Amino acid sequence: MTTLRARPLTVAGVERRRPRMRIAVCQNKGGSGKSAMVVNLAAALAEAGELVDVADVDPQGNASRRLAARPAADQMTISEAIKCDALGAARDAYVPCGWGGVYSERIRVLPARFELENRISEAGTVGAVKRLKRALAGCDDRRVTLLDCPPSLGHLTQLAMVAADVVLIVAEPEFDGIEGAVRVLNFVRDHADDLNNPRLRVAGVVPSRVRSGLGVHDFQIAGLDECFPGLVWAPHIRERAVVKAAADSVAPLRSLRTAPAREVAEDFDKLAAQVRKLMEVAA
């Protein structure tokens, strides 16, 4: 009599069972407001009732700090989860957002320390670019995962792109910021197959740190639709001191209780609505 044996669990097998969307938030230039986008978009989604995971793929760990997600000294972080190279290795590495209230209930963080830099040396190892996808398999079962990528197109960003469904580009409306955004767009279009993720696409470009009345910003904003046809999201995130104040105080924007904080939080609410629409269409 032939004995039937179950096949070993594979990443593809796990992924098919999970209704979710992973969004890699990218830019090929530093200082664009990328981590601010991830943190405040996560907050807006949580306020709208969504369960959100934030995977911090940047060794600077800015998203982890701003979400008050401080792992214990002996606790696993995203670096160790990647190094394990095992299905679901990230399961024990998540920590809750430390803001309290609905944020702690609805936002989990896969935190980063600077040691994440050590994973870059593994770029030449066969299959290493798939390790984050394997680590997340079966354990990031929330509606949406935001992956905060470093300001590069190197190994760590590629790990995130392999795991992601879509890319969201954050673009400061200055020459270097637009050029960095174009590099990300072209990289996804040219190398999705190379990353073994042929369905990966850029879902949108969000202008950030926009200063009204600044000539160079007005000029770049006017040309965005031509540069990124059909991809520019609104509203644009304005450069406001309250965003930095919230980041420095490790608190959500709405907790500042000022008119500028409410205005910026409402802008992120509108972006969160676009993310939810994106998920509905994908479903």
Side-chain angles (χ1 to χ4, degrees), residues 254-265:
R254 291 192 191 281
S255 71
L256 301 185
R257 301 184 182 280
T258 64
R262 285 194 299 273
E263 290 172 5
V264 179

Side-chain angles (χ1 to χ4, degrees), residues 56-62 77-83 111-124 131 149-152 154-157 159:
D56 196 346
V57 198
D58 189 337
Q60 297 180 73
N62 290 335
T77 66
I78 192 170
S79 177
E80 291 78 28
I82 292 169
K83 185 178 181 180
R113 297 191 185 97
F114 187 71
E115 288 82 354
L116 180 57
E117 286 274 0
N118 295 332
R119 304 282 71 80
I120 296 174
S121 65
E122 299 165 357
R131 287 184 178 181
C149 300
S152 79
H155 181 61
L156 296 177
T157 295
L159 283 167

Side-chain angles (χ1 to χ4, degrees), residues 82-178:
I82 292 169
K83 185 178 181 180
C84 284
D85 191 21
L87 290 176
R91 185 176 304 279
D92 296 327
Y94 289 97
V95 295
C97 169
W99 289 346
V102 296
Y103 305 107
S104 294
E105 295 170 6
R106 296 173 183 169
I107 301 174
R108 296 189 310 178
V109 184
L110 185 54
R113 297 191 185 97
F114 187 71
E115 288 82 354
L116 180 57
E117 286 274 0
N118 295 332
R119 304 282 71 80
I120 296 174
S121 65
E122 299 165 357
T125 304
V126 174
V129 77
K130 299 180 183 179
R131 287 184 178 181
L132 178 57
K133 183 176 182 179
R134 288 173 59 82
L136 295 177
C139 56
D140 69 330
D141 53 356
R142 297 191 165 201
R143 274 267 288 172
V144 59
T145 296
L146 302 174
L147 299 106
D148 188 18
C149 300
S152 79
L153 292 170
H155 181 61
L156 296 177
T157 295
Q158 291 176 35
L159 283 167
M161 287 184 175
V162 170
D165 298 296
V166 297
V167 169
L168 186 64
I169 302 174
V170 179
E172 188 177 6
E174 297 177 5
F175 184 89
D176 291 342
I178 301 302

Side-chain angles (χ1 to χ4, degrees), residues 13 30 38 239-240:
V38 169
E239 175 83 319
R240 302 296 289 270

